[in-house]
Amino acid sequence: MGVSVKINPSIREANETLQTAFRSRSFALVAGDCRVDYEGRASSTLEWGERIVVIKQDGSLLVHRPIGYEPVNWQPPKCLLKVWTEDSGSLIVNATRAQPREMVSIEFRKIMFTVTGKLDDRGDFALHVTEEQMKQAILTVPALVEEGLKPLQQEKSLGAAGFTDIYAEDREGNLVVIEIKRNPASRDALIQLQRYLESLRGKIDRPLRGIVVGPELRMNAQPLLSSLRLEYVRLAPEKCFEILKSQRDMKLSQFLVGER
Amino acid sequence: MGVSVKINPSIREANETLQTAFRSRSFALVAGDCRVDYEGRASSTLEWGERIVVIKQDGSLLVHRPIGYEPVNWQPPKCLLKVWTEDSGSLIVNATRAQPREMVSIEFRKIMFTVTGKLDDRGDFALHVTEEQMKQAILTVPALVEEGLKPLQQEKSLGAAGFTDIYAEDREGNLVVIEIKRNPASRDALIQLQRYLESLRGKIDRPLRGIVVGPELRMNAQPLLSSLRLEYVRLAPEKCFEILKSQRDMKLSQFLVGER
DNA sequence: CCTTTCAGTTAGTTA
DNA sequence: TAACTAAGTGAAAGG
């Protein structure tokens, strides 16, 4: 439970701290003047400077420079972590993984601080407004796509589409296949939908429309849209979020009628 | 220069520490029991749990759970950082950016520690053996691809290839287009090269060969290689690295030709 | 175990 | 500035 902090520890001290941390599967933060070598799919060198190294209990490692969102060097989870001192008076921290065979090696010549400890983290993480949630929003308010649109019961038997989709019927009785993209729709999205429509036309004898729904249509996809005779409807994720939110609030208020 | 560490600080203490850190553009590490909300292109929630938050002087922010290489929530550089306490006794850390409009908000109800300070990091970072560097290696030692190969002056007017490439002439006087892949070459690479060769054949009336050069050819690409009548030459990045290194260090490249 | 596809992709380069 | 492409992409899902 306890957090252990050492400020300006000696190389030997830091060595023992990290040995213990690795053995007990604690996290470790180490900052200091270091050099970093990476060998693997590519290779890199980082000359002397002060950085913060984050080492996690799962064997992942991050080397962070004072600026930039991304780590300058890293190693994913399940690495073999080793730490030792060299005669030169340096502290070496090594993280190796097989498959692909890669190694990050950090040489410290001065340690600013080490922090080790355990984290108790069982909180759920949820990412909202995924394509699945856009789908839910459209099923709730089909007019987001087109007035008079009637979503049909999902028929998985139609085949694996490979994209988040909705089957619906328009006012003229055409079958409508909707492909949902939460990111700007590229040519790929159109091609995918087109391919799917082709496979359907072979099985279903009925007028068929293909609509791509998303926040944006990439400019280079515009010509293809016309030539494939597909349609695009703009729908911002925020709008979906509002709808899901109001739907949720409605359920809540229904449930909580009279309570406030 | 100095590093400031507080263990189990009060919310008020942590608030002051972070205020000072943000004002003085220091880095800050904060660990504690927190909840995280993200609103922007998508939205996410992370329930209570102990995490490590890294805040850099450039306004970037990372929330790290005890496992996993990637941050569960983050914000890129140039964010507006704010910190304050709430009546509930929580500490709120906010990082917002415009374009896209996004916000990460962290609510701490208990702080395990804070570490703030400055990092002096001017060391050069160098990533070796990129595709560009493989290209340099091949231009230096064309025999890596084929004996007698003569690289041609790059002619950009031939068209945007979309891949790292070399134009060369073989011993028979054929025009050779070389596509370099630093990763295992997939079918995509072959298709791309093939498409490019097609476009060239329309413009150039001359025998044309296409060679993919890389560390590996994916197994599923082998049949396509034959059917498209393309060629593959294995070249390990390490070899390129050696050549670039020796070229840089000793300028002996011309003597390495026969050594392979 | 391998391949394919997606990502709050991010980041860099070029038109 | 916008579009395009690579990345030590990583991570998840499907065969």
Side-chain angles (χ1 to χ4, degrees):
Chain A
M1 210 86 288
V3 167
S4 168
V5 180
K6 306 251 167 67
I7 301 181
N8 287 324
S10 69
I11 293 293
R12 185 176 297 111
E13 249 184 307
N15 182 34
E16 282 178 29
T17 301
L18 293 182
Q19 294 280 0
T20 307
F22 294 172
R23 221 179 309 119
S24 64
R25 299 181 67 76
S26 304
F27 75 84
L29 300 173
V30 192
D33 189 16
C34 62
R35 239 175 48 79
V36 187
D37 280 313
Y38 154 69
E39 282 284 342
R41 286 167 293 183
S43 64
S44 71
T45 53
L46 177 62
E47 297 305 324
W48 293 106
E50 295 177 341
R51 290 112 198 181
I52 297 173
V53 179
V54 181
I55 303 164
K56 296 192 185 183
Q57 63 192 52
D58 63 356
S60 51
L61 177 148
L62 308 163
V63 182
H64 273 281
R65 307 191 77 168
I67 60 172
Y69 146 77
E70 292 195 327
V72 60
N73 281 111
W74 70 91
Q75 206 63 294
K78 293 172 199 161
C79 279
L80 178 60
L81 296 170
K82 279 186 198 162
V83 58
W84 69 89
T85 61
E86 298 230 311
D87 292 342
S88 59
S90 294
L91 180 74
I92 310 290
V93 177
N94 252 36
T96 55
R97 69 160 163 164
Q99 208 60 13
R101 182 77 188 168
E102 296 196 294
M103 180 197 66
V104 167
S105 181
I106 311 172
E107 177 182 2
F108 285 96
R109 59 184 179 187
K110 179 164 181 317
I111 312 279
M112 299 164 73
F113 64 83
T114 63
V115 185
T116 59
K118 296 239 178 194
L119 295 175
D120 179 13
D121 181 2
R122 294 170 232 178
D124 279 337
F125 175 73
L127 182 64
H128 310 293
V129 198
T130 59
E131 285 180 1
E132 183 55 35
Q133 288 175 296
M134 291 180 71
K135 179 172 176 174
Q136 286 309 316
I138 293 173
L139 290 176
T140 305
V141 185
L144 285 171
V145 177
E146 187 176 281
E147 283 296 333
L149 199 73
K150 288 200 187 73
L152 302 173
Q153 188 75 12
Q154 286 266 15
E155 298 184 28
K156 304 233 169 185
S157 59
L158 286 177
F163 52 85
T164 306
D165 55 0
I166 292 175
Y167 308 94
E169 201 177 59
D170 69 9
R171 276 168 301 193
E172 273 83 44
N174 301 305
L175 182 59
V176 181
V177 177
I178 300 170
E179 175 174 5
I180 299 171
K181 300 302 289 181
R182 63 172 267 103
N183 295 331
S186 61
R187 279 190 293 235
D188 277 352
L190 302 184
I191 292 166
Q192 194 172 26
L193 178 56
Q194 174 64 9
R195 231 180 303 180
Y196 183 57
L197 287 177
E198 284 307 320
S199 75
L200 278 189
R201 281 190 241 271
K203 299 177 197 165
I204 295 175
D205 185 25
R206 190 174 165 182
L208 212 50
R209 293 171 58 199
I211 304 181
V212 173
V213 173
E216 191 185 326
L217 183 68
R218 284 206 193 283
M219 218 157 62
N220 70 359
Q222 183 67 59
L224 193 59
L225 187 79
S226 316
S227 67
L228 294 181
R229 296 174 177 277
L230 297 175
E231 298 162 60
Y232 168 72
V233 171
R234 181 183 163 81
L235 176 62
E238 295 76 25
K239 190 73 198 170
C240 297
F241 186 65
E242 280 173 35
I243 284 161
L244 294 171
K245 191 159 173 287
S246 60
Q247 186 188 26
R248 198 173 52 209
D249 291 348
M250 273 170 59
K251 278 187 195 159
L252 262 177
S253 58
Q254 278 177 336
F255 196 72
L256 296 177
V257 163
E259 287 205 10
R260 63 161 157 150
Chain B
M1 206 92 287
V3 167
S4 167
V5 180
K6 305 249 168 68
I7 301 181
N8 288 324
S10 68
I11 293 294
R12 183 175 298 111
E13 252 184 305
N15 182 33
E16 281 176 30
T17 302
L18 293 182
Q19 293 281 1
T20 306
F22 294 172
R23 220 178 311 121
S24 64
R25 298 181 68 78
S26 304
F27 76 84
L29 299 173
V30 192
D33 189 15
C34 62
R35 239 174 49 78
V36 187
D37 280 313
Y38 154 70
E39 281 285 341
R41 286 166 293 184
S43 64
S44 71
T45 53
L46 176 61
E47 297 306 323
W48 294 107
E50 295 178 341
R51 289 113 199 179
I52 297 173
V53 178
V54 181
I55 303 164
K56 296 192 185 182
Q57 63 192 52
D58 62 357
S60 51
L61 176 148
L62 308 162
V63 181
H64 273 282
R65 308 192 75 170
I67 60 173
Y69 147 77
E70 294 194 326
V72 60
N73 282 111
W74 70 91
Q75 206 63 294
K78 295 173 198 162
C79 278
L80 177 60
L81 296 170
K82 281 186 196 161
V83 59
W84 68 87
T85 60
E86 298 230 310
D87 292 341
S88 61
S90 294
L91 180 75
I92 311 290
V93 176
N94 251 38
T96 54
R97 70 158 162 166
Q99 208 59 12
R101 182 75 189 170
E102 297 196 294
M103 179 197 65
V104 167
S105 181
I106 311 172
E107 175 182 3
F108 286 96
R109 59 182 179 189
K110 181 166 182 315
I111 312 278
M112 299 164 74
F113 64 84
T114 62
V115 184
T116 58
K118 297 239 180 196
L119 295 175
D120 179 14
D121 181 3
R122 296 170 231 180
D124 279 337
F125 176 74
L127 180 65
H128 310 293
V129 198
T130 59
E131 283 181 4
E132 183 54 36
Q133 288 176 297
M134 290 180 71
K135 178 173 177 174
Q136 286 310 316
I138 293 172
L139 290 175
T140 306
V141 187
L144 285 170
V145 178
E146 185 176 282
E147 284 297 332
L149 198 72
K150 289 199 186 75
L152 303 174
Q153 189 76 11
Q154 285 266 15
E155 299 184 28
K156 303 233 169 186
S157 58
L158 286 177
F163 51 86
T164 307
D165 55 1
I166 292 176
Y167 307 95
E169 201 175 58
D170 67 11
R171 275 168 302 193
E172 274 83 45
N174 301 305
L175 181 60
V176 181
V177 176
I178 299 170
E179 175 174 2
I180 299 171
K181 301 302 290 182
R182 60 173 266 101
N183 295 330
S186 60
R187 280 190 293 233
D188 276 353
L190 302 184
I191 292 167
Q192 193 171 26
L193 178 55
Q194 174 64 10
R195 230 180 303 179
Y196 184 56
L197 288 177
E198 284 306 321
S199 74
L200 279 188
R201 279 189 242 271
K203 301 177 197 167
I204 296 174
D205 184 25
R206 189 174 164 184
L208 211 52
R209 292 170 59 199
I211 304 181
V212 173
V213 173
E216 191 185 325
L217 184 68
R218 284 207 193 283
M219 219 157 61
N220 70 0
Q222 183 67 59
L224 193 60
L225 188 78
S226 314
S227 67
L228 294 182
R229 295 175 177 279
L230 297 175
E231 298 162 61
Y232 168 73
V233 171
R234 181 184 162 82
L235 177 61
E238 295 76 26
K239 190 74 198 171
C240 298
F241 184 65
E242 281 173 34
I243 284 161
L244 294 171
K245 189 159 175 287
S246 56
Q247 182 191 27
R248 194 176 56 213
D249 294 350
M250 298 169 270
K251 304 194 172 171
L252 280 178
S253 54
Q254 62 269 37
F255 299 107
L256 292 177
V257 170
E259 290 194 17
R260 278 274 188 145

